[in-house]
Amino acid sequence: GAMLRHLARKLRASGPVTVAEYMREALTNPGQGYYTRRGGVGQSGDFITSPEISQVFGELIGIWYISEWMAMGKPNTFQLVELGPGRGTLTDDILRVFHQLASVLSKCDVSVHLVEVSPKLSEIQAVMLTGGKVQPNPEDKSAYMKGVSKTRIPIFWYRDIQDVPPGYSFYLAHEFFDALPIHKFQRTEKGWREVLVDIDPEVPDQLRFVLSPSRTPATQNFIQPGETRDHVEVCPEAGVIVQRLASRIEKDGGAALVADYGHDGTKTDTFRGFRNHKLHDVLSAPGTADLTADVDFSYLRKMAQGRTATLGPIKQREFLKNMGIDLRLQVLLQNSGDTATREQLLHSYDMLMNPEKMGDCFNFFALLPHHRLVHPDKKDKTESKSPLPPVAGFNELLLK
């Protein structure tokens, strides 16, 4: 395709590129990138995400935010900030819970802030969340579009998290980090080398992996001194975003919830391509497949740099069990009249919870202010401190 020809020209002219550069081209090149060309999420796209499987998933996440809001003393305003909201299904489910619990949130001023670079997806989100009633925002504003949800909550769209106004915020990154470009490194007898993408001299218009002849700046910057693995993937962009989230939470309060495929610094080669829900060779037909890599939560924890506390990663099935998915399923099953709905519910439950499906490979991870987990040390140790409520999901949900 055109993308392959474009890459081949580039590689012939200026030599091999990092895997990160290759991923960035294949996914977000303005003309031919995978994300730019389609709103490829969901049954028709190449990847099914949890919110598309089940509304229960989004409802429980909505409840997580409300339970954290209550644990933090019910501040009178909060922003829900979602990174890469896909089709807006998850936001829609969360807003439904906020609406159902309107009496709880009655004195709270809630707004939604979506960080979305794709014009195509932001249109889909606008239809899903507002029924398409949005207006472009004047140039001087950081948001490029705004609207009001069906439940009367203001929604704003931004291209970058740095454009989102400061303030008490709950952040959500669901299947956001796994699509960010990664660098790949390989240990050799001569030390660490970066894995690069180059043209195959034997086969016309075919790509292959090669090793950098010597150390690259990335090798020096991203390999941790005590690294024991022989192959490592690092996502510097994820690191930068976590730094931003952590410093915002430290300054203005709130929490961030990250849900994604991932591991805690144990896996090596997780770079994958998906096309029509099937595995696809990452180097063939670039621009036609979704490319992802598992999130290294140990790296995210490091990049929070102690500005916030971190919880997790915890397996999706444990998180959802803690959030009360079993009870919620029972209620929905009792309330559903027909067999088809019940079968759909049981099927979704299985997709989300089965260790063989998404139950084990999907993880939850949170950033929280230190004072949410540990009382700030008081000079006077005699006054009794009320115990801090446990964080739901990572512990059992206790809603009063």
Side-chain angles (χ1 to χ4, degrees), residues 185 215-225 234 236 299 302-303:
F185 303 98
R215 285 163 66 169
T216 61
T219 331
Q220 268 106 316
N221 294 331
F222 300 124
I223 298 290
Q224 309 304 329
V234 181
Y299 178 66
K302 238 188 117 286
M303 296 313 284

Side-chain angles (χ1 to χ4, degrees), residues 61-80:
I61 287 181
I63 288 170
W64 190 85
Y65 287 116
I66 289 177
S67 94
E68 276 309 295
W69 172 75
M70 290 166 77
M72 292 176 185
K74 304 188 180 174
N76 58 11
T77 166
F78 74 79
Q79 308 189 130
L80 175 67

Side-chain angles (χ1 to χ4, degrees), residues 299-350:
Y299 178 66
L300 301 193
R301 190 183 299 113
K302 238 188 117 286
M303 296 313 284
Q305 295 170 319
R307 288 182 185 142
T308 59
T310 63
L311 286 177
I314 179 175
K315 293 183 163 106
Q316 171 165 294
R317 80 189 146 88
E318 292 171 31
F319 182 90
L320 296 176
K321 201 171 213 46
N322 283 337
M323 289 304 298
I325 191 172
D326 293 331
L327 184 62
R328 185 78 187 113
L329 177 74
Q330 294 311 318
V331 172
L332 289 171
L333 287 172
Q334 276 153 17
N335 296 346
S336 62
D338 59 309
T339 328
T341 311
R342 278 206 280 278
E343 278 179 3
Q344 179 56 49
L345 279 166
L346 289 166
H347 172 73
S348 330
Y349 179 88
D350 184 60

Side-chain angles (χ1 to χ4, degrees), residues 350-361:
D350 184 60
M351 274 301 280
L352 292 171
M353 300 293 283
N354 188 332
E356 304 292 303
K357 296 179 182 165
M358 295 173 108
D360 273 7
C361 61

Side-chain angles (χ1 to χ4, degrees), residues 5-17 197-199:
R5 287 194 296 278
H6 156 75
L7 274 167
R9 273 199 304 275
K10 187 174 161 168
L11 295 169
R12 272 193 286 272
S14 47
V17 295
V197 174
D198 200 3
I199 202 92

Side-chain angles (χ1 to χ4, degrees), residues 154-194:
I155 307 181
F156 302 87
W157 278 263
Y158 310 84
R159 292 200 172 78
D160 192 304
I161 186 164
Q162 301 201 85
D163 297 334
V164 177
Y168 192 94
S169 301
F170 289 119
Y171 300 92
L172 175 57
H174 176 269
E175 289 198 39
F176 169 74
F177 287 110
D178 67 49
L180 297 178
I182 54 155
H183 288 265
K184 283 172 87 62
F185 303 98
Q186 179 70 43
R187 195 195 295 272
T188 71
E189 299 92 85
K190 302 192 183 81
W192 285 97
R193 294 290 180 264
E194 184 160 2

Side-chain angles (χ1 to χ4, degrees), residues 210-341:
V210 296
L211 290 180
S212 62
S214 55
R215 285 163 66 169
T216 61
T219 331
Q220 268 106 316
N221 294 331
F222 300 124
I223 298 290
Q224 309 304 329
E227 185 56 68
T228 55
R229 291 171 289 177
D230 288 336
H231 189 100
V232 176
E233 295 168 336
V234 181
C235 179
E237 257 178 78
V240 170
I241 289 164
V242 165
Q243 283 177 330
R244 285 189 187 136
L245 290 174
S247 55
R248 289 174 76 118
I249 291 167
E250 179 184 40
K251 201 158 116 270
D252 302 316
L257 191 60
V258 176
D260 224 317
Y261 293 90
H263 58 91
D264 207 5
T266 51
K267 288 193 180 173
T268 54
D269 175 26
T270 71
F271 186 32
R272 299 278 178 275
F274 287 91
R275 190 169 167 182
N276 305 325
H277 307 293
K278 303 268 189 297
L279 275 172
H280 173 89
D281 173 13
V282 286
L283 294 183
S284 78
T288 66
D290 192 5
L291 303 179
T292 74
D294 284 10
V295 177
D296 182 345
F297 290 105
S298 69
Y299 178 66
L300 301 193
R301 190 183 299 113
K302 238 188 117 286
M303 296 313 284
Q305 295 170 319
R307 288 182 185 142
T308 59
T310 63
L311 286 177
I314 179 175
K315 293 183 163 106
Q316 171 165 294
R317 80 189 146 88
E318 292 171 31
F319 182 90
L320 296 176
K321 201 171 213 46
N322 283 337
M323 289 304 298
I325 191 172
D326 293 331
L327 184 62
R328 185 78 187 113
L329 177 74
Q330 294 311 318
V331 172
L332 289 171
L333 287 172
Q334 276 153 17
N335 296 346
S336 62
D338 59 309
T339 328
T341 311

